[in-house]
Amino acid sequence: MVRERIADDIYVFTSRLYAQVTAGAILTKEGAVLVDTLYFPEETKAIKQFLEERLKMPVRYVINTHYHADHSQGTYLFPQAQVVSHTLCRELLHTVGRAGLAQAKQDATELAEVEIVLPDLVLDEGVLQLHLGGKTIELRHMPGHSPDLLSVYVTNNQVLFASDNLMPVPTIFDGSHDDLVHSLEEILALELEAIVQGHGEVVLRGEIAGVIHSDLSYLQNIHTAVTRIVNNGNSAESLKKIDIESCGKSRVPLNGLVSDLHYANLHKLYAEMNDNR
Ligand SMILES: [Zn+2]
């Protein structure tokens, strides 16, 4: 786990074990707010130790930005914290999350002690403001990567935790292409100093517009390419020919995992377009 201090009172933790997934901590005079919790207990325990033992910062709130295990699985390590999410995240943790964990435990002994924790405070729509120790933290429902996604905006620092709506390649296979376009446009309209992506490096002020425009153009490109295949009546097999670089993104990040994510995007769009015909 790599720890990075991106503001006086904001830390970002990036996994070394699982696809550079990130978590973050916002420190206040009244304790810490943890944004996501990483996949492997070993790494989440290192975060807990750093905050609670080294900084003497009790974790008051844990925000689950969405239900995916790599973002929510460490929540059980903070039993004293209030857990906050979108309503749908709570439902999906209870169903898909529980089933996924049971499956994952069969192959990974290090997950034996992990339990699903259902959030106790949920947001359905609009913005929830959390005021703690002089910080104002806004939770905004921004579906796209997944239907339950909340972004976390620290207004004092103009820092946005975008979760998986921002990562080295946009991902829509568990979410919605159109929702992601909409959410990215919403992010573009915010005045920001930095964005913490759900996976990969922090995006700094000067890079933000470029990154988001590149994501929007990728989403446009895959939509155009898949539309052509569907309109020509070609099979899903021909999606193979649409490589990630022809759609404007590098194949290198996340040790090449981005290419698999890209093909999953294409299959999702292809299935959706065929269903709608
Ligand atoms: Zn995710």
Side-chain angles (χ1 to χ4, degrees), residues 111-175:
L111 301 181
E113 64 178 51
V114 177
E115 287 167 38
I116 295 285
V117 176
L118 296 183
D120 20 46
L121 182 63
V122 294
L123 163 71
D124 201 27
E125 56 182 53
V127 180
L128 175 74
Q129 283 192 337
L130 176 62
H131 298 277
L132 187 71
K135 289 280 187 199
T136 301
I137 297 162
E138 292 185 353
L139 310 188
R140 295 161 178 253
H141 184 211
M142 287 195 185
H145 165 79
S146 62
D148 62 333
L149 194 139
L150 289 182
S151 67
V152 178
Y153 180 42
V154 189
T155 63
N156 312 59
N157 305 78
Q158 294 179 304
V159 167
L160 183 79
F161 289 85
S163 189
D164 287 354
N165 277 344
L166 232 71
M167 49 193 287
V169 66
T171 49
I172 54 158
F173 50 84
D174 191 29

Side-chain angles (χ1 to χ4, degrees), residues 74-272:
T75 307
Y76 78 100
L77 288 165
F78 302 90
Q80 77 295 350
Q82 182 138 53
V83 183
V84 191
S85 79
H86 190 267
T87 315
L88 263 178
C89 173
R90 190 175 197 281
E91 290 172 21
L92 288 163
L93 279 170
H94 184 51
T95 53
V96 186
R98 280 192 203 286
L101 177 59
Q103 183 72 43
K105 279 185 179 188
Q106 294 183 356
D107 312 316
T109 50
E110 60 269 57
L111 301 181
E113 64 178 51
V114 177
E115 287 167 38
I116 295 285
V117 176
L118 296 183
D120 20 46
L121 182 63
V122 294
L123 163 71
D124 201 27
E125 56 182 53
V127 180
L128 175 74
Q129 283 192 337
L130 176 62
H131 298 277
L132 187 71
K135 289 280 187 199
T136 301
I137 297 162
E138 292 185 353
L139 310 188
R140 295 161 178 253
H141 184 211
M142 287 195 185
H145 165 79
S146 62
D148 62 333
L149 194 139
L150 289 182
S151 67
V152 178
Y153 180 42
V154 189
T155 63
N156 312 59
N157 305 78
Q158 294 179 304
V159 167
L160 183 79
F161 289 85
S163 189
D164 287 354
N165 277 344
L166 232 71
M167 49 193 287
V169 66
T171 49
I172 54 158
F173 50 84
D174 191 29
S176 147
H177 177 277
D178 294 355
D179 283 349
L180 185 54
V181 168
H182 189 263
S183 289
L184 289 172
E185 284 168 348
E186 213 177 309
I187 292 172
L188 205 50
L190 294 170
E191 203 43 56
L192 295 174
E193 286 297 328
I195 300 182
V196 180
Q197 306 193 84
H199 295 256
E201 315 231 310
V202 174
V203 182
L204 300 174
R205 188 193 175 99
E207 310 160 328
I208 292 174
V211 165
I212 293 182
H213 283 299
S214 151
D215 284 1
L216 287 168
S217 117
Y218 168 82
L219 289 168
Q220 175 75 60
N221 291 341
I222 59 173
H223 196 274
T224 306
V226 177
T227 303
R228 192 173 301 132
I229 283 179
V230 171
N231 286 347
N232 290 341
N234 295 334
S235 73
E237 190 66 10
S238 38
L239 296 172
K240 277 191 195 145
K241 285 181 263 165
I242 311 172
D243 70 44
I244 186 170
E245 293 192 335
S246 72
C247 296
K249 287 287 181 186
S250 164
R251 63 172 75 243
V252 175
L254 306 183
N255 293 323
L257 174 67
V258 288
S259 206
D260 297 341
L261 301 173
H262 163 73
Y263 286 113
N265 287 337
L266 300 181
H267 280 277
K268 156 87 178 179
L269 274 180
Y270 181 85
E272 256 179 22

